[in-house]
Amino acid sequence: MKVDYDKVSEIYDNRYKDSKLPGVEKTLTEIITTNNINSILEVGCGTGYWLKKFSDADIITGIDFSRGMLKREEKHKKINFICADANTLPVSKNSFDLIYCINAIHHFNDPFQFIKDVYPLLKKGGRLCIFGSNPADSFNFWYIFRYFKNTFENDKKRFPDTEKLKNVFQESGFNDVEYKIVEIVNRCKINYEIFDDLFLVKNATSELYLISQDEYEQGIKKMKEKIEENLKLGVDTEFRTLLNFYLISGLK
């Protein structure tokens, strides 16, 4: 199950109007500013949204598989963008102080091999940071899963297990492996205001992109029917999003 991000690229950055993930940004900023990091690589960089926030580093590289996503970025003289697969990175050994990916590892062909392959690309004392969310985590709840057929089932298959990710960090030779929650997205929209949610657009998220147009339309229909049913009873319909974002990191 693959998302064609060339098609998604036009509307991809709209998500940051609703969810800027300040906890992720704060954590990553602290890592960069307190660890004398001068060379940075983001894998799965998309349009370069995150890299542009850290342009003080001497060497800044972004890699993404989608040419469409990379074409959306505004040219930045300090950032080198490369179109490549996450599992075949065209990068020399001992090149970076920090390699990170944000909400992207579930798109890689082999997330666990990616961790192993990245280890030699880091300088001694370099750090790998993986930020993500696991829909199968019992803490998480997203109205999308409730109303749209196959979205939860697809995500259970796509997203790597966090315990296994931690184990692969250790198996790959990383030290000081750490897991922590850095962000909790907690939003609730009531009744028809849900249809202003930018994450509800068909191609705005990989979850909705991967289901058929019929499944998408049926989900929208179910949402409207639920709202109407509850309004007749004098009850509001809540559409809740509760998702935690973790960080797994390790040092070479």
Side-chain angles (χ1 to χ4, degrees), residues 13-145:
D13 278 354
N14 287 345
R15 65 180 57 202
Y16 296 117
K17 296 176 183 177
D18 264 7
S19 183
K20 296 184 184 297
L21 301 179
V24 172
E25 181 175 347
K26 179 176 182 289
T27 302
L28 192 53
T29 300
E30 288 175 351
I31 290 170
I32 291 172
T33 56
T34 60
N35 290 281
N36 194 31
I37 287 172
N38 294 310
S39 50
I40 298 172
L41 169 64
E42 180 181 2
V43 184
C45 68
T47 62
Y49 174 86
W50 293 100
L51 283 173
K52 293 167 192 172
K53 296 178 180 293
F54 309 113
S55 56
D56 288 340
D58 295 332
I59 299 172
I60 311 169
T61 304
I63 292 179
D64 200 277
F65 188 67
S66 167
R67 292 188 184 277
M69 293 288 275
L70 294 175
K71 287 178 181 178
R72 299 294 299 180
E73 60 87 18
E74 297 175 8
K75 299 302 178 185
H76 196 293
K77 62 182 179 180
K78 286 198 67 176
I79 304 175
N80 179 34
F81 288 98
I82 301 170
C83 185
D85 188 286
N87 286 112
T88 53
L89 294 173
V91 176
S92 300
K93 293 181 179 179
N94 305 306
S95 294
F96 293 97
D97 299 311
L98 171 66
I99 298 176
Y100 72 88
C101 60
I102 297 177
N103 206 27
I105 196 166
H106 57 286
H107 292 298
F108 300 170
N109 289 325
D110 190 336
F112 305 112
Q113 187 61 44
F114 167 77
I115 295 170
K116 297 175 183 178
D117 293 343
V118 157
Y119 184 85
L121 307 183
L122 288 163
K123 298 177 183 179
K124 181 66 176 176
R127 183 186 301 264
L128 171 62
C129 294
I130 294 175
F131 296 87
S133 185
N134 188 345
D137 189 324
S138 59
F139 173 88
N140 290 331
F141 179 85
W142 193 13
Y143 74 89
I144 293 288
F145 297 143

Side-chain angles (χ1 to χ4, degrees), residues 143-182:
Y143 74 89
I144 293 288
F145 297 143
R146 179 175 182 180
Y147 290 95
F148 293 90
K149 185 178 179 181
N150 291 325
T151 52
F152 184 70
E153 291 77 9
N154 288 343
D155 273 10
K156 285 182 69 176
K157 296 174 184 176
R158 294 192 306 139
F159 283 73
D161 178 74
T162 50
E163 283 299 320
K164 187 170 181 181
L165 285 174
K166 287 189 286 184
N167 290 338
V168 175
F169 263 78
Q170 293 169 336
E171 293 166 5
S172 302
F174 284 98
N175 298 310
D176 299 327
V177 177
E178 180 184 22
Y179 170 89
K180 64 180 179 180
I181 301 300
V182 297

